[in-house]
Amino acid sequence: MHVVANGVSLERFAPAAAANAEHLGRLNSDSPATIRFLGTLKPWHGLATLVEAWALLRARNPQADLLIVGDGPEYESVKNRIDSLGLSDGVTFSGAVQPDEVPQWLGKMDIAVAPYPHMEHFYFSPLKIYEYMAAGIPVVATRVGHLESVVSDGLNGVLVEAENPEAMAQCLHDLLNQPERLQQLGHTARLTAEQSHSWLAVVNEILDIAAATGRLKNA
């Protein structure tokens, strides 16, 4: 059995990558910044950790806002927790968005977060990671599943311990105070998507597997 990870359409997110490269190039440590999550609001997406981390971050970076793009069964619990913290003025919920709107949302992100919790024996290949990368966004992800093989810590993103709001908040704080590093992470993330995670790369990997196992004639 061979497991092949998901891929991403480079062309679809090329305008977002160009917009983010320009935007990140203008950032400085005093700029208002937005921490963003895009996806269906489900328990295994780790929104609870993200909210707690953002609350800690907001105490140190009052200008930092949180944008949650998407909808789902965790909306009420996430919204209620934010309200209980008294921080609803700093959070925007987009609600559900259509697939063709996703590149537009990804074209205006400072940092994108994938705060997955620990999930024993659970393999996943999250599309959002590849889409974040293809859009040239600095990615903060948790060290779970096979994400360590996708996000090279410190090169095309940053990995933090899962279910650790303090560690995530510290990581976000450090990045917001290093605008040049954010720019480099976003640039390298796009290069990684181009070199390793396009759908063409996925097809070529499948063909290589087929050839190596003798299931592809004339390989």
Side-chain angles (χ1 to χ4, degrees):
M1 179 181 292
H2 297 268
V3 178
V4 179
N6 281 317
V8 67
S9 169
L10 298 176
E11 295 77 12
R12 184 183 180 211
F13 294 97
N20 282 322
E22 181 179 353
H23 169 68
L24 291 171
R26 296 196 302 266
L27 276 183
N28 61 64
S29 58
D30 296 321
S31 301
T34 303
I35 311 305
R36 304 180 187 240
F37 169 90
L38 185 146
T40 305
L41 311 188
K42 293 183 177 179
W44 59 84
H45 282 166
L47 271 299
T49 297
L50 175 57
V51 169
E52 300 303 322
W54 177 75
L56 294 171
L57 175 69
R58 192 80 188 278
R60 303 173 66 181
N61 300 74
Q63 295 187 28
D65 288 332
L66 177 64
L67 171 64
I68 297 176
V69 181
D71 199 358
E74 290 293 290
Y75 169 77
E76 289 297 334
S77 64
V78 171
K79 178 70 164 57
N80 290 340
R81 179 55 179 159
I82 290 169
D83 291 344
S84 73
L85 291 167
L87 296 173
S88 56
D89 63 316
V91 182
T92 300
F93 289 89
S94 74
V97 300
Q98 296 300 313
D100 61 358
E101 297 174 329
V102 168
Q104 299 171 41
W105 285 102
L106 292 185
K108 43 188 175 183
M109 292 196 168
D110 300 321
I111 300 174
V113 183
Y116 293 102
H118 292 293
M119 293 175 284
E120 190 174 359
H121 306 308
F122 183 73
Y123 176 86
F124 60 100
S125 180
L127 282 171
K128 68 164 52 60
I129 295 292
Y130 304 110
E131 292 179 347
Y132 287 166
M133 287 185 162
I137 307 169
V139 180
V140 173
T142 47
R143 200 182 297 273
V144 297
H146 84 304
L147 293 185
E148 285 186 272
S149 67
V150 180
V151 178
S152 298
D153 189 28
L155 295 177
N156 57 18
V158 181
L159 292 169
V160 298
E161 182 183 6
E163 300 179 67
N164 187 333
E166 292 80 8
M168 181 169 287
Q170 184 64 53
C171 173
L172 294 171
H173 173 75
D174 291 345
L175 288 175
L176 291 177
N177 285 283
Q178 301 175 66
E180 291 184 359
R181 186 182 180 205
L182 282 177
Q183 186 178 14
Q184 184 58 50
L185 288 171
H187 174 72
T188 308
R190 173 66 189 189
L191 287 179
T192 301
E194 292 175 348
Q195 295 169 0
S196 305
H197 301 302
S198 69
W199 283 117
L200 179 59
V202 170
V203 171
N204 286 335
E205 183 177 353
I206 293 171
L207 292 176
D208 288 344
I209 291 170
T213 56
R215 295 187 179 184
L216 180 66
K217 294 181 179 180
N218 302 318

